[in-house]
Amino acid sequence: MDFLKSLGIDDLNAGASTGRTWLTAQDQGVLRIVSPVDGQLGAQVSQASELNYATMIASAQTAFHSWRMRPAPQRGEIVRQIGEQLRAYKDPLGRLVTWEMGKSLQEGWGEVQEMIDICDFAVGLSRQLYGYTMHSERSSHRMYDQYHPLGIVGVVTAFNFPVAVWAWNAMIAAVCGDVVVWKPSSKTPLTAIAVQKIITRVIEANHLPEGIFNLIIGRGATIGEKLLHDARVPLISLTGSTDVGRHAAEAVAKRLGRTILELGGNNAVIITPAADLRLALPAVVFGAVGTAGQRCTTTRRVIVHEQIYDEFKKALLKAYSGVRIGSPLDERHHMGPLIDVAAVEVFNAALESAKSAGGRIIFGGRVLSGAGYESGCYVQPTIVEAENHWEVVQRETFAPILYLIRYSGDVENAVALQNGVPQGLSSSIFSNNLRESEFFLSHAGSDCGIANVNIGTSGAEIGGAFGGEKETGGGRESGSDAWKAYMRRQTNTINWGTQLPLAQGIRFEV
């Protein structure tokens, strides 16, 4: 495949890099990367060892001491050059994302564009790492706060956004003066290797030291655990399931480290009688079907008022009948495969649970086979009439299953259903009623980190802080002031007078 060669992917690839040097272990086994698109072997990766990890962390520590002293706008210039390199490789890198993960080619290119966009954002941010000035209660004193680089930032990413989530973290951390250790999903390591090789060109062209951008591919039980428990890594940003996030939070908290957790979502769209169904329908379909239901912001529940339930259901079934499933490398297809056969088993198990609870499958529900589906990872997008309190509806299933839920009464009832799950990532309401929309956005409304009006649950822009509440983890990445999580805050007071007054009017005579 030409895109693999153009990105420097070899038949066998080293599993760790310090930015200039690739580190190889001989005794940790090899990952065979098979595409869910066609079941074909793309390349292999030698998993990193604990010795590789030790070498990499030492390199990162050394690099941090010089990188933090480089002025932030100069760090931004390096990030700008990374963005330019990503622009040059957008097409092959997007194709690799699609081939390795299975999302549509439009989404593959879109993921690389998201990396480019966050580079642009971070370049501007490099001149805007603001602190505040406060008035002191003591005469001839000045008081202000400022932000300093934090250190090594560990970034653990999931398979569904194999490169964009890393960029959210790494580009912001870089302009903040931090260095990054990236542990990607073992299901999608080739995209990580390709990005690391792109970055290496910028590192070498600017004669930067090793250790600013580091990559390590290895087992969670060894490399992952070392990263979580390593006191030299003050911040861990982790994207994954709620169970994985809970374990990470406990491990890092024991050493009083920091975490940014982006965990499970169970996102709902509310459709009120005042909704514009022409807007709502495509938003729900893309939200539920995009990335084959493997986004943390995927629409998993649609809560529809009883007055328009039958009308919306009919339109939804018609729209689903037009979803084209097949190789995501073919731009005519809307939906590609699940990541692997194990994900297909989860899909089947969830549908069995839904049927046992009383759910009715009104569309889809089958695993596809035959020509074009040889990998065994393709399923039909599925709609299930369900009730919100069922256990299967309460949990996140990473698959294209949409639960259709009826509500009656006013919008408060719909919001109560939406909020009545353990997760709190993304939410949406479709309504042209100002009062309904404003209630949804009020203190008594959506309890999610993302709340949208007349747009869907997925497809967040990089300019806003991304993250959720409750079992979603509480972390924030990407835009707004999320950069503050990657720095340490310091309050400074300067006495420029000739006296030493104490705060609160305390007197102390010596």
Side-chain angles (χ1 to χ4, degrees):
M1 290 169 282
D2 291 341
F3 57 83
L4 289 177
K5 294 179 181 178
S6 67
L7 292 166
I9 302 299
D10 300 319
D11 291 338
L12 178 62
N13 300 271
S17 169
T18 59
R20 285 177 175 268
T21 304
W22 287 87
L23 309 171
T24 302
Q26 305 297 329
D27 58 348
Q28 297 300 306
V30 173
L31 294 173
R32 299 178 74 258
I33 308 306
V34 174
S35 171
V37 174
D38 54 17
Q40 298 300 306
L41 176 67
Q44 299 182 86
V45 180
S46 297
Q47 296 193 101
S49 66
E50 294 188 28
L51 179 59
N52 294 153
Y53 176 85
T55 300
M56 183 194 62
I57 289 293
S59 178
Q61 283 185 297
T62 300
F64 174 62
H65 292 146
S66 60
W67 182 246
R68 66 183 176 181
M69 298 308 295
R70 184 179 290 260
Q74 291 185 22
R75 300 193 294 255
E77 168 59 17
I78 300 303
V79 169
R80 186 195 67 79
Q81 293 179 35
I82 291 172
E84 290 302 306
Q85 286 293 309
L86 290 172
R87 283 180 170 88
Y89 286 92
K90 179 178 176 179
D91 180 68
L93 186 56
R95 290 180 186 276
L96 176 54
V97 169
T98 292
W99 180 88
E100 188 174 34
M101 185 269 150
K103 63 178 59 177
S104 73
L105 190 53
Q106 285 293 326
E107 291 181 88
W109 285 327
E111 181 161 351
V112 182
Q113 185 61 49
E114 194 164 354
M115 300 173 75
I116 295 166
D117 292 344
I118 201 67
C119 286
D120 290 348
F121 179 90
V123 172
L125 179 64
S126 70
R127 295 180 182 270
Q128 300 180 77
L129 301 176
Y130 298 132
Y132 292 99
T133 298
M134 292 77 70
H135 286 272
S136 174
E137 67 184 68
R138 292 170 282 184
S139 62
S140 303
H141 282 60
R142 182 164 66 91
M143 186 165 59
Y144 66 97
D145 61 24
Q146 62 178 334
Y147 292 84
H148 292 300
L150 187 60
I152 301 173
V153 175
V155 180
V156 182
T157 57
F159 73 86
N160 59 328
F161 279 84
V163 288
V165 172
W166 167 82
W168 290 357
N169 287 274
M171 297 302 102
I172 302 298
V175 299
C176 288
D178 300 323
V179 299
V180 175
V181 171
W182 180 15
K183 184 186 181 303
S185 168
S186 294
K187 296 181 179 181
T188 52
L190 299 185
T191 45
I193 291 170
V195 168
Q196 187 73 1
K197 291 192 173 185
I198 289 170
I199 286 177
T200 295
R201 297 183 180 93
V202 177
I203 296 295
E204 292 178 343
N206 288 274
H207 308 290
L208 295 173
E210 293 190 294
I212 299 172
F213 296 101
N214 303 273
L215 172 68
I216 189 156
I217 299 162
R219 295 185 178 89
T222 53
I223 301 302
E225 288 301 308
K226 288 192 73 67
L227 190 61
L228 295 180
H229 290 89
D230 196 333
R232 297 169 294 180
V233 183
L235 173 63
I236 297 289
S237 177
L238 181 144
T239 301
S241 69
T242 296
D243 288 342
V244 170
R246 184 175 287 111
H247 169 72
E250 291 173 353
V252 177
K254 284 182 179 178
R255 59 178 177 84
L256 299 181
R258 303 185 191 180
T259 54
I260 299 173
L261 300 176
E262 298 291 353
L263 311 177
N266 195 348
N267 316 293
V269 173
I270 295 172
I271 313 289
T272 82
D276 184 340
L277 297 186
R278 294 174 303 168
L279 293 179
L281 189 65
V284 169
V285 175
F286 174 73
V289 171
T291 325
Q294 297 171 115
R295 290 184 179 220
C296 52
T297 55
T298 289
T299 303
R300 308 210 178 277
R301 298 172 294 143
V302 57
I303 301 168
V304 186
H305 194 275
E306 60 184 3
Q307 289 182 13
I308 57 171
Y309 183 89
D310 291 335
E311 178 187 1
F312 183 79
K313 173 182 169 181
K314 181 179 178 181
L316 187 63
L317 290 171
K318 182 179 178 181
Y320 262 57
S321 68
V323 173
R324 296 186 295 273
I325 308 164
S327 170
L329 290 166
D330 183 338
E331 291 187 73
R332 295 172 298 177
H333 294 147
H334 298 114
M335 185 179 121
L338 294 176
I339 185 63
D340 53 27
V341 174
V344 175
E345 294 173 355
V346 171
F347 168 81
N348 285 329
L351 292 181
E352 288 301 316
S353 295
K355 287 189 290 185
S356 296
R360 189 164 73 93
I361 297 175
I362 60 174
F363 189 93
R366 292 194 303 111
V367 179
L368 300 176
S369 60
Y373 306 129
E374 290 86 356
S375 69
C377 298
Y378 291 85
V379 302
Q380 290 179 311
T382 302
I383 306 171
V384 182
E385 289 187 301
E387 295 184 23
N388 199 65
H389 65 273
W390 294 347
E391 189 275 335
V392 68
V393 180
Q394 290 283 306
R395 69 173 187 259
E396 178 187 48
T397 299
F398 232 49
I401 300 173
L402 178 65
Y403 297 110
L404 184 59
I405 300 167
R406 185 193 306 259
Y407 84 95
S408 59
D410 54 26
V411 71
E412 286 89 343
N413 295 337
V415 171
L417 289 172
Q418 179 213 274
N419 292 348
V421 294
Q423 309 83 1
L425 178 52
S426 188
S427 58
S428 170
I429 189 171
F430 278 82
S431 175
N432 288 332
N433 182 305
L434 179 63
R435 288 180 175 176
E436 289 182 335
S437 299
E438 288 294 339
F439 175 81
F440 179 76
L441 299 177
S442 75
H443 301 324
S446 170
D447 64 0
C448 296
I450 299 170
N452 298 327
V453 175
N454 293 332
I455 63 171
T457 63
S458 63
E461 297 181 32
I462 60 97
F466 181 90
E469 303 300 324
K470 301 189 295 188
E471 287 192 359
T472 303
R476 293 298 185 274
E477 298 168 328
S478 195
S480 186
D481 66 347
W483 62 270
K484 292 180 179 179
Y486 302 87
M487 305 195 79
R488 59 181 178 88
R489 186 170 185 159
Q490 185 180 79
T491 300
N492 307 112
T493 305
I494 300 170
N495 178 3
W496 53 272
T498 59
Q499 304 297 317
L500 189 66
L502 300 178
Q504 293 84 49
I506 293 173
R507 295 183 178 181
F508 185 75
E509 305 288 345
V510 292

